[in-house]
Amino acid sequence: MNIRPLLLCLLWLLPLVVSAQDEDKVYQFSGLIISKTTSEPIPYVRIQVNHTRRGAVSNSEGFYSIPVGLGDTLYLSHLGFHASKLIVGDYMEEYQGDKSQYIYAIHYMLEDTFQTDSVVIFPYDTPEELRTAVVNLDLDVDPLTAIAEDNMDPSTLHLLMETLPVDGGERLMVARQTYFDNYTRKNLLPTVGFDPVAAVQLLQYVVDKAKRRRTKDLNYWEDN
């Protein structure tokens, strides 16, 4: 039996097997994050592994440690610094240390500087002086704000309400409200102006009727 072709096939497949094993291998990646401007450690930097839920945050001394694979990419972000990334596979090709399990790196992050407008501080001795100064401020009004203020003017709103056409839904709502008001007030006496003469006459009528009822002969069984 000629085993030479079999050996050649195994030798040809061996790099593929090794490569697949390397792809699945997990490394403990540890790093130190330093400011490129000040050379000081950057604390509490967020490290995120692409397309995964894995991540870490550097400690107060800028150190972190996270498990990674050759196909991972680390994204580093921190307020006040430009975001950066590290491709693990490319870094491993240039890594000169022991690649058995633990990998180490030093990251340099560049500060993201921006310039703000100058701030002028005015000293005021009392809250009343501050309130007066705020009221008297001459501020540029935004055009949209000015339009909104004009639209909220009471005279403008009244004009809109007077000229706004009434739709069917609003007519139905008004009719329901009118019916409800009439139903709740139907057992109430009409609210008219108070007439003292009519009140005295009504009271005298009630008294006279009561007297006639008391003096009336109620003996219905005898002829009068």
Side-chain angles (χ1 to χ4, degrees):
M1 180 180 178
N2 189 2
I3 62 174
R4 187 173 181 179
L6 181 60
L7 292 176
L8 292 176
C9 183
L10 292 176
L11 292 175
W12 180 77
L13 293 175
L14 183 61
L16 298 178
V17 175
V18 174
S19 177
Q21 291 178 350
D22 292 339
E23 290 289 338
D24 297 335
K25 189 174 182 180
V26 177
Y27 299 90
Q28 189 66 29
F29 201 98
S30 301
L32 181 64
I33 306 174
I34 298 177
S35 171
K36 193 172 183 178
T37 305
T38 63
S39 299
E40 296 288 336
I42 306 175
Y44 314 120
V45 178
R46 183 173 179 266
I47 301 99
Q48 182 68 37
V49 181
N50 64 317
H51 305 301
T52 68
R53 296 181 180 273
R54 290 182 285 119
V57 177
S58 63
N59 61 12
S60 59
E61 298 178 353
F63 179 82
Y64 75 93
S65 184
I66 186 173
V68 298
L70 291 179
D72 291 337
T73 300
L74 300 182
Y75 291 89
L76 292 79
S77 60
H78 192 277
L79 183 64
F81 291 86
H82 289 284
S84 61
K85 68 177 181 179
L86 184 143
I87 302 175
V88 177
D90 295 345
Y91 181 77
M92 291 294 293
E93 292 180 359
E94 301 178 2
Y95 187 68
Q96 302 296 327
D98 183 14
K99 299 181 182 180
S100 58
Q101 184 176 2
Y102 299 99
I103 308 299
Y104 302 93
I106 297 179
H107 306 274
Y108 290 94
M109 297 186 68
L110 183 63
E111 291 185 3
D112 185 11
T113 58
F114 58 93
Q115 186 176 1
T116 60
D117 298 334
S118 60
V119 178
V120 181
I121 301 177
F122 298 94
Y124 296 100
D125 296 333
T126 62
E128 289 73 15
E129 294 182 3
L130 176 61
R131 189 180 301 108
T132 303
V134 171
V135 171
N136 295 331
L137 283 177
D138 186 12
L139 301 178
D140 296 333
V141 180
D142 182 70
L144 296 178
T145 304
I147 295 174
E149 291 178 352
D150 293 339
N151 291 338
M152 294 302 294
D153 185 78
S155 59
T156 304
L157 293 178
H158 179 72
L159 180 62
L160 290 175
M161 292 300 296
E162 290 293 332
T163 58
L164 188 67
V166 181
D167 59 2
E170 186 175 356
R171 292 180 184 274
L172 179 61
M173 183 173 61
V174 172
R176 289 177 176 174
Q177 185 65 40
T178 304
Y179 174 78
F180 177 78
D181 294 340
N182 294 335
Y183 177 79
T184 55
R185 292 198 302 263
K186 68 178 183 178
N187 294 325
L188 299 178
L189 293 176
T191 56
V192 297
F194 179 73
D195 186 356
V197 176
V200 172
Q201 292 177 351
L202 177 62
L203 181 61
Q204 186 64 40
Y205 170 76
V206 172
V207 172
D208 294 343
K209 188 174 182 180
K211 289 181 179 179
R212 288 196 299 270
R213 185 181 297 110
R214 287 196 299 269
T215 58
K216 184 177 180 181
D217 187 3
L218 300 179
N219 189 1
Y220 298 108
W221 293 272
E222 295 181 0
D223 294 334
N224 293 330

